[in-house]
Amino acid sequence: TSSGFLLSQTNYFKSDSSLQQTDLIDQRKNSDNKTNTWKGKIIYTEPLIKNWFVITDYSIRNTISSSRRYSYIKNSLNSEYDQVVDSLSNSLRYNILGHQGGISLRYTTKKMNLSFGGKASYTDLYQHNLVNDSIREQHFLNLFPSISLNYKRRNTSNLSISLSGNT
């Protein structure tokens, strides 16, 4: 939660340097943001044949948040900042639910570790604007390929190459 004031005066002048107009901004700003997230993940590794493994994983994440930002101007009757500026104010609620699953193959020896596979992620975004009671839903599907190679040349040196998609 935060609160503050914006006080600004802008003077506009004519070409002969005389004052043409003055704009005054006198506002109080209030902001309140809250976020709750829970998540879980499970990973399973299965040996296939000598030196080969398959690795699967699944994760779920849910984020629920609210964001309230209000701008107020001064009331000319009582000099209190109690008149909401609708164009500069909002109150939003979000619910973001994401699922991610992946599979990869891994080949392992004393000198080399090779892994390749990928993940798929599906996300539902639900946004509720409490000021104008509008709802917006969005859905995303993302794919994340990955490959990595780690080659151990000696006990003190190795070569690693890795490529993975991410957002």
Side-chain angles (χ1 to χ4, degrees), residues 5-12 22-27 81:
F5 292 89
L6 171 61
L7 181 58
S8 171
Q9 179 177 322
T10 305
N11 295 322
Y12 299 93
T22 298
D23 284 340
L24 179 67
I25 298 174
D26 187 5
Q27 299 173 351
Y81 292 92

Side-chain angles (χ1 to χ4, degrees), residues 19-31:
L19 185 63
Q20 178 180 354
Q21 177 183 341
T22 298
D23 284 340
L24 179 67
I25 298 174
D26 187 5
Q27 299 173 351
R28 187 182 86 215
K29 307 275 191 177
N30 287 346
S31 178

Side-chain angles (χ1 to χ4, degrees), residues 46 100 166:
E46 177 71 26
Q100 187 176 73
N166 200 356

Side-chain angles (χ1 to χ4, degrees), residues 122-136:
Y122 181 78
T123 304
D124 287 317
L125 170 69
Y126 173 84
Q127 175 187 334
H128 184 188
N129 185 329
L130 301 172
V131 172
N132 63 14
D133 198 31
S134 65
I135 294 174
R136 182 176 186 181

Side-chain angles (χ1 to χ4, degrees), residues 76-136:
S76 60
L77 298 176
N78 61 15
S79 294
E80 296 289 325
Y81 292 92
D82 59 6
Q83 294 180 331
V84 176
V85 181
D86 291 335
S87 63
L88 301 175
S89 302
N90 66 43
S91 181
L92 304 170
R93 276 202 195 128
Y94 295 95
N95 187 348
I96 304 166
L97 178 62
H99 303 270
Q100 187 176 73
I103 188 166
S104 63
L105 286 173
R106 175 165 288 178
Y107 177 74
T108 304
T109 66
K110 282 186 175 186
K111 291 207 169 258
M112 185 176 66
N113 189 339
L114 172 67
S115 176
F116 57 92
K119 294 185 181 202
S121 174
Y122 181 78
T123 304
D124 287 317
L125 170 69
Y126 173 84
Q127 175 187 334
H128 184 188
N129 185 329
L130 301 172
V131 172
N132 63 14
D133 198 31
S134 65
I135 294 174
R136 182 176 186 181

Side-chain angles (χ1 to χ4, degrees), residues 57-69:
D57 66 89
Y58 170 78
S59 64
I60 186 170
R61 177 185 184 126
N62 190 296
T63 301
I64 298 170
S65 65
S66 64
S67 171
R68 294 185 298 173
R69 297 178 184 184

